[in-house]
Amino acid sequence: MRPRSLILDVTVELVFHTTLLVSLWLLAVGHNLPGGGFVGGLVAGGGFVLRYVAGLDRRDPRPRISPEALMGIGLVVAGCTAMGAWAFGGQLLESGAVEATLPLLGKVKVLSPLFFDAGVYLVVVGLVLAEIRVLGDEASRGASRGVGREEEPA
Amino acid sequence: MVALLLLHVAVAAAASLAHRRLGARVFLVCAVAPLAAAVWAAAQAPEVTSGGVVTQSFVWVEQLGLTFAFRLDAFALLMVALVSGIGVLVFVYAAWYFDHTDRPGVGRFAATLTGFAGAMLGLVLSDNVFGLFVFWELTSITSFLLIGFDDAEPRARKAATQALLTTGAGGLALLGGLVLLSLATGTTSLSGMLAQPLAGPMAEVGLGLVLLGACTKSAQVPFHPWLPGAMAAPTPVSAYLHSATMVKAGVYLLARFAPVVSPETPWWRAAAVTVGLASMLVGGYRALRQHDVKLVLAYGTVAQLGLLFAVYGLGTPEAITAGCALLLAHALFKAPLFMVVGIVDHQAHTRDLRRLSGLGARMPAVFVTAALASASMAGIPLLLGFVAKEKSLDAWLHSGLPWGAPALGAIVVGSVLTVAYTARFLWGTFATKAPGELAGEPVGPGAARPRAAFVAPAAVLALLCLVLGVAPWLADGLVVDGARALDPESSATSLQAWYGVNPALWLSALALVGGLVLFAARRPVERLQAGVPHVGSAQGGYDAAVAGSLRGAGLLTGAVQHGSLPLYLAVALVTVVALPGAALLADTALPGGIEAGSWLQVSLVVILAVGAVATALARRRFAAVLLVGVVGYAVAGLFVVQGAPDLALTQLLIETLSVVIFVLVLRHLPERFSDRPFRSSQVLRGLVAVGVGLFMTLFALVALGARSGPTVSEQIDRLALPEGGGKNIVNVILVDIRGVDTMGEITVLTVTALGVIGLVRAGRRRGQAPQVPGDPAEDAP
C-alpha cells in the first residue's frame, strides 16, 4: 500500500461530516435559496469522493447500503410524493404544506416538494456512490488481485 | 366483468404462492376463477339469450380512445361457456395430471394457466378493439410460457418461440388492421364497427390484415406448424389452449366479421374459405401419417379449425348457425380427446401408437370416453358432431356461390380424412395390435389404471357430446341465439338431432365410408405418403424466415455498428451540422446589437476559449481532462456573472465530480493520446470540429432572436411563490412546475446508471481485467 498522508486523512475526516451537513442544508433550504436536491446530492457525493480519494473507504466502507438500493429508494420516495397528492384529492405532484411548531426550531413549514427533492437527493448520491464503486473501488481491488475477481452478485 | 378478470389475476398471484403448500391441488383452487366466470355467465344467460347485452366499461387512456369496454352478447356467452366451462374441467384434470410430480415450475404453471383463462375471458368479452388486442397478445404470451414449461428441453423452447413469433407477427397484422378499421369507421368499438358498412380501400386493407392475424392465431395454412409444435406443452395446455380456446380466437374474430363482411366483400370471403379448406386438407393429410397420437390430434385440430374457417367464412345466416354448432361441438370433443391422450401418456409413459397396445381392455372407462368423443369428431349420428357437420354441409349445399360445389367437394374430402384420422387415433391408442404393427416393446396391458377422478373431466365432456347429440335443442341458447347475436338474419329454429334423409346425410355417409376405407388401407396410405416428396413445407418456410432475419440483422449490425468511437461521434456531429445547420442557413435572422455586459464576461470567455483550444492540442489525457475542467469552471463563472447561482453551483459540482470520474477511468487508459500518422484524418476532424462550433454559435445567436410568442418565464415568475411556495424559482420549476420532467429525469438517470454498472462489470467479467496504472494498454477501440 502506498504511504498515506496523515494531513489528508484528518482533514477529510473533519470535512466529510460537515460536507454531509451542508448538503442536507442545501436540500432543506433549496426551495427558497440556491440549493435543492440535485445540488445537495452532488455535494454529498463530493464528500464521499473525498473519502474515496483519501483512501478512508477501505478502512471503513460507508455507507453500508448499496448505491443501487439508494437510487431505488430515491425513486420510490419521489414517486410516492408525486402520487401522494392523489391521496389528498389533488393532481399528480400538486404541492401541499404542513406547518408545525417544533422545539428548538420554532415554527416550521414543510412543503411536500421537499420530500420529492429528497428523492432526487438520494438518487444523485446513489449515482455518485455507484460510479465510485464500479469505476474506482472494484476496479482497483480487481487490479490488485488480478484477473477474474468475482464481483458481488448484481 | 372487470371483477371477474381481477379475480383471475388475484387467483393467479395466489397460485404461485400456494403451490408450495398445496402441491398439485393448487389447480383446484385455481378452478375457482373460471368457475366464478361460468356461474356469472349462466346467471346472465336468460337476459342474453333473449337478445339482450350486458355491458360495462371503464376508461384507460382517454386521449387515445382506449377504453376497456366489455360486452356480453349470446355469441360471447358461447365463448365464455367454452373458456370458463371447459376451463374448470381442465383445472380439475390438471390437478390429477400433475399429481405426484415435484417439478418446481408447477406453481408458476398454474398461475400462468389461470392468467391465460383471464386473458381469454377478456378477449371474448372485449368490445373495444384495442382492449381485445391487448388480451389477444396476453393469450399469445401465456401460450408461449405454457408451451415452454419444460424450459430445460430445447425442443419445447423452440416450439414456444415459434408459437410466439408466429402468433406475435399475426398480432401485429391484427393491430394494423384494427387501427385501419377504426380510422375508416371512426370508432374503436367492435360492435359499433360492425354496425357500419366496411367498404373502401382503407377498410378493406384493414380487413385483410385482421384475417391474416386470425389465420396465425388459429393455425391456418401456411402458419399452422406452430400448433403441432405446441404439443410439447403438458396435456392440460393442449386440451385447453390449443384445442378448445386460444386457437379459437382467430375463429372468434372471423365469426364476428364474417356476417357483415363476407356477403359484401367477395375476395375476403374467398380468402377465408380457401385458407380454411387448405388447412382442412393439409391437416387431415398430415394427421394420417403421425405416430404420436397427440400429433394425430394436433393436425386434426388444424383441420377442424380449417373447417370452422371455411364455414364461418361463407358468412351466410345458415353458415353462421352451422359455425356456432361446430365451434361448440369441436371444443366438446377435442378437449376430452386431448385429456385422454394425457391420461394414456401419464399411465403408460408413451404416446407412440406403434407401442401402445391393448389399452382398451385395460382402461375401459377411458376407452368409452374416447370412443364417444371420437364418434362426435367423425360425425356419427346421435352425437353433437353429427348435428354440426350436417348443418355445415347444408350451409354449403345452399351457398348459391358459383364455386360452392368445388368447396363442398373439398369439405367432403376433408371429412373423409377426418373419419380416417379419427379411426387411426382410436385404433392407435386403444386397439390390441398384431405384432407386425408394433415397433418395439408393446406398452399397455401393464399400465396402471387411472383414478376415476382423473378420467371424470374428460368423461363429463364426452357425455355432453352424447347428450347434446341426442337432444341438441338443449344447446339452442348457445348455438342458435349465439348465431343470432352475430347475424340477426340467421334462423331461430332450434337444432334437431336428425334432419331426415337429405343430401347432407348422403355426403356424411360418403365421408364415413370413405374414411373407414382409407383407414383400412392405412399401410398403403402410409407408404404412399412416405413416398411423396416433401416439397415446400411450411415448417421449412418458418425456419428460412427466422434464419434469414437473423442473417439480415447480422449484416445490418455489421454495416451500422462498426465499433469505432470517433466514427460514431463524427456521424452524430456531421448529422447535426448538416441537417439543422442547413435549415439555419436557409432562414437566418441575426439579432442586432450584441454586446458584452461587463469586462468580467469578456475575460471569462477568453479563459474559456483558451481552455477549449488547449484541450484540443493536449497530448496527455490527464491534461486534456483538466483543461476541459477549465472550460467548465469558466462557464460556471459566466453563470455567476449572469446572476444564476443555482446553475453555477450545479455546474461547479458537476465539473468537479466529472474530473474525479475521468481520473478513475483514465487509470485504465494509456497516459497519452496515440499519435495518428494520418494528417488527412486530422484535417477532417478539424473540419468537423470547426463546423460544429460555427453551427452552435450561429444557433445560439439565431435562437436569441427567434422568439415569436410571449415568454413563459413571466408566468412562472408570477406562479412560483403563491403556487409553488418557494422563492427559488429554479427549484420551484424543478420540483413543482415541471416536476413530472424531473421524475422522468431521475428515472432515466437511475436506469442509465444501472446500465453503466452492468456494462462495466460485464466487460470486466469477460476477462478484460482492469489494467494497473502505467501498464501498457491498447487504445480504447
Side-chain angles (χ1 to χ4, degrees):
Chain A
M1 190 167 276
R2 272 167 292 169
R4 305 169 57 92
S5 151
L6 185 64
I7 297 173
L8 186 65
D9 272 17
V10 174
T11 316
V12 169
E13 278 292 17
L14 282 174
V15 168
F16 175 64
H17 296 97
T18 319
T19 316
L20 285 193
L21 214 58
V22 169
S23 79
L24 287 175
W25 180 77
L26 282 171
L27 168 67
V29 303
H31 217 49
N32 291 316
L33 296 169
F38 194 68
V39 171
L42 287 175
V43 169
F48 285 108
V49 167
L50 274 181
R51 275 178 60 81
Y52 169 75
V53 171
L56 294 175
D57 260 13
R58 266 168 254 183
R59 254 190 334 192
D60 174 21
R62 195 185 300 192
R64 286 160 193 93
I65 184 169
S66 89
E68 291 94 332
L70 214 55
M71 284 192 278
I73 293 169
L75 269 189
V76 170
V77 169
C80 287
T81 314
M83 288 185 290
W86 285 337
F88 298 99
Q91 283 184 319
L92 188 71
L93 270 166
E94 197 172 310
S95 61
V98 181
E99 285 191 58
T101 311
L102 295 179
L104 289 178
L105 292 172
K107 198 172 150 200
V108 171
K109 185 177 174 189
V110 177
L111 289 157
S112 66
L114 179 64
F115 297 105
F116 185 80
D117 232 7
V120 178
Y121 177 94
L122 289 176
V123 170
V124 174
V125 172
L127 178 76
V128 175
L129 286 174
E131 281 182 353
I132 296 177
R133 171 180 287 188
V134 172
L135 298 173
D137 244 11
E138 282 183 10
S140 52
R141 262 183 284 161
S144 60
R145 293 187 202 171
V147 190
R149 198 187 67 81
E150 212 31 67
E151 272 80 24
E152 58 263 76
Chain B
M1 285 179 251
V2 176
L4 283 173
L5 295 177
L6 291 178
L7 175 69
H8 279 80
V9 175
V11 169
S16 50
L17 300 176
H19 167 245
R20 217 166 282 166
R21 183 161 300 175
L22 293 176
R25 273 172 301 169
V26 71
F27 286 100
L28 297 179
V29 178
C30 292
V32 169
L35 187 64
V39 169
W40 171 81
Q44 311 294 325
E47 187 189 342
V48 171
T49 51
S50 54
V53 288
V54 183
T55 58
Q56 190 184 5
S57 71
F58 75 97
V59 177
W60 180 22
V61 184
E62 197 178 356
Q63 292 83 346
L64 294 175
L66 286 183
T67 313
F68 277 111
F70 297 103
R71 183 172 182 275
L72 180 79
D73 62 3
F75 183 60
L77 184 71
L78 169 63
M79 293 302 291
V80 173
L82 298 186
V83 171
S84 299
I86 293 185
V88 173
L89 293 172
V90 167
F91 276 106
V92 173
Y93 171 81
W96 296 102
Y97 184 83
F98 284 106
D99 206 14
H100 302 307
T101 53
D102 301 325
R103 293 161 76 175
V106 172
R108 192 188 62 199
F109 179 86
T112 317
L113 200 62
T114 315
F116 164 77
M120 195 65 208
L121 190 67
L123 198 165
V124 299
L125 289 177
S126 277
D127 191 38
N128 182 289
V129 288
F130 298 114
L132 183 147
F133 172 75
V134 169
F135 287 115
W136 176 285
E137 293 295 73
L138 278 178
T139 62
S140 289
I141 293 165
T142 43
S143 160
F144 166 75
L145 293 174
L146 291 169
I147 297 171
F149 172 63
D150 274 328
D151 48 14
E153 184 82 22
R155 202 172 52 91
R157 288 204 304 269
K158 183 170 183 285
T161 313
Q162 182 171 5
L164 185 69
L165 286 179
T166 312
T167 55
L172 284 181
L174 175 71
L175 179 62
L178 293 176
V179 168
L180 287 178
L181 283 176
S182 62
L183 286 178
T185 57
T187 173
T188 54
S189 147
L190 184 60
S191 51
M193 207 176 262
L194 292 171
Q196 301 180 32
L198 295 171
M202 193 193 271
E204 292 203 12
V205 172
L207 286 172
L209 289 173
V210 168
L211 185 63
L212 189 64
C215 285
T216 59
K217 196 78 164 176
S218 289
Q220 296 297 290
V221 168
F223 307 111
H224 65 279
W226 74 261
L227 184 57
M231 296 300 131
T235 304
V237 176
S238 311
Y240 193 30
L241 274 73
H242 303 127
S243 72
T245 56
M246 190 190 83
V247 289
K248 299 270 171 60
V251 176
Y252 168 80
L253 264 192
L254 182 73
R256 286 276 181 208
F257 278 94
V260 182
V261 178
S262 279
E264 309 294 331
T265 320
W267 67 265
W268 197 81
R269 169 191 272 177
V273 170
T274 311
V275 165
L277 292 177
S279 304
M280 190 177 187
L281 295 177
V282 168
Y285 172 80
R286 293 292 301 268
L288 284 181
R289 70 166 196 206
Q290 302 303 323
H291 294 300
D292 181 342
V293 283
K294 203 173 175 186
L295 281 182
V296 174
L297 289 183
Y299 280 105
T301 306
V302 173
Q304 296 283 343
L305 291 170
L307 178 61
L308 277 166
F309 254 62
V311 172
Y312 270 126
L314 179 58
T316 61
E318 276 179 309
I320 296 298
T321 313
C324 290
L326 212 52
L327 196 68
L328 179 65
H330 178 250
L332 287 185
F333 66 66
K334 197 48 82 50
L337 286 178
F338 271 114
M339 290 182 185
V340 163
V341 168
I343 294 171
V344 168
D345 195 12
H346 192 266
Q347 304 299 122
H349 306 293
T350 181
R351 303 192 304 248
D352 191 330
L353 55 77
R354 290 164 302 184
R355 294 190 62 209
L356 293 168
S357 181
L359 276 185
R362 183 71 189 156
M363 307 177 185
V366 181
F367 173 65
V368 171
T369 301
L372 276 178
S374 297
S376 184
M377 177 152 81
I380 289 171
L382 293 184
L383 288 149
L384 187 59
F386 171 74
V387 181
K389 192 159 278 188
E390 286 285 281
K391 278 277 193 194
S392 312
L393 290 170
D394 211 42
W396 272 100
L397 278 169
H398 300 116
S399 70
L401 289 175
W403 41 277
L408 185 63
I411 290 182
V412 172
V413 174
S415 303
V416 169
L417 293 171
T418 304
V419 174
Y421 70 70
T422 307
R424 180 183 176 82
F425 166 77
L426 207 55
W427 161 83
T429 314
F430 293 103
T432 307
K433 288 165 194 122
E437 294 195 291
L438 287 169
E441 197 64 22
V443 187
R449 289 177 203 272
R451 291 198 231 186
F454 192 15
V455 187
V460 168
L461 290 172
L463 209 60
L464 271 177
C465 290
L466 180 64
V467 171
L468 293 181
V470 175
W473 57 87
L474 291 176
D476 278 352
L478 294 176
V479 173
V480 176
D481 295 321
R484 216 170 41 247
L486 290 174
D487 185 358
E489 288 169 32
S490 75
S491 76
T493 53
S494 69
L495 297 172
Q496 294 167 33
W498 183 252
Y499 286 91
V501 179
N502 57 15
L505 183 70
W506 287 114
L507 291 176
S508 277
L510 181 67
L512 205 57
V513 173
L516 288 176
V517 168
L518 204 58
F519 168 69
R522 58 185 173 274
R523 313 201 79 185
V525 168
E526 272 182 39
R527 269 201 299 280
L528 184 71
Q529 286 210 3
V532 172
H534 208 65
V535 277
S537 85
Q539 179 64 44
Y542 166 81
D543 290 337
V546 170
S549 50
L550 285 179
R551 208 168 39 243
L555 286 174
L556 191 66
T557 313
V560 179
Q561 302 290 337
H562 30 68
S564 157
L565 211 50
L567 204 51
Y568 286 147
L569 259 181
V571 168
L573 292 176
V574 167
T575 311
V576 167
V577 175
L579 296 181
L584 209 57
L585 285 179
D587 181 21
T588 312
L590 288 176
I594 299 169
E595 53 189 45
S598 72
W599 281 108
L600 212 50
Q601 275 186 353
V602 177
S603 44
L604 279 168
V605 169
V606 171
I607 296 173
L608 196 154
V610 170
V613 172
T615 308
L617 297 177
R619 302 305 309 146
R620 288 171 184 271
R621 288 175 201 270
F622 191 69
V625 167
L626 289 181
L627 288 166
V628 169
V630 168
V631 175
Y633 287 130
V635 171
L638 278 177
F639 286 147
V640 172
V641 173
Q642 291 294 94
D646 262 289
L647 284 183
L649 197 51
T650 313
Q651 176 78 22
L652 273 174
L653 289 165
I654 288 285
E655 274 317 319
T656 312
L657 284 174
S658 312
V659 170
V660 173
I661 286 165
F662 261 124
V663 168
L664 293 182
V665 177
L666 284 185
R667 295 187 300 174
H668 310 310
L669 294 177
E671 197 181 339
R672 289 165 167 275
F673 292 108
S674 57
D675 285 312
R676 308 252 174 208
F678 304 111
R679 301 296 297 172
S680 62
S681 82
Q682 281 177 352
V683 171
L684 223 56
R685 288 170 195 217
L687 281 177
V688 172
V690 171
V692 173
L694 283 176
F695 165 74
M696 285 310 298
T697 311
L698 199 60
F699 176 78
L701 288 175
V702 171
L704 275 177
R707 181 175 298 288
S708 56
T711 166
V712 75
S713 51
E714 279 157 22
Q715 274 187 48
I716 294 177
D717 198 14
R718 225 166 0 88
L719 285 174
L721 196 52
E723 292 282 318
K727 296 193 195 84
N728 177 359
I729 197 166
V730 178
N731 189 258
V732 174
I733 292 174
L734 282 178
V735 299
D736 198 324
I737 296 175
R738 311 215 52 176
V740 182
D741 273 3
T742 307
M743 191 71 223
E745 279 157 16
I746 57 176
T747 312
V748 170
L749 201 65
T750 308
V751 173
T752 315
L754 292 179
V756 169
I757 293 171
L759 280 176
V760 171
R761 284 185 180 162
R764 219 173 283 151
R765 206 166 289 144
R766 225 177 291 142
Q768 299 173 352
Q771 265 87 27
V772 197
D775 260 16
E778 55 182 15
D779 203 345

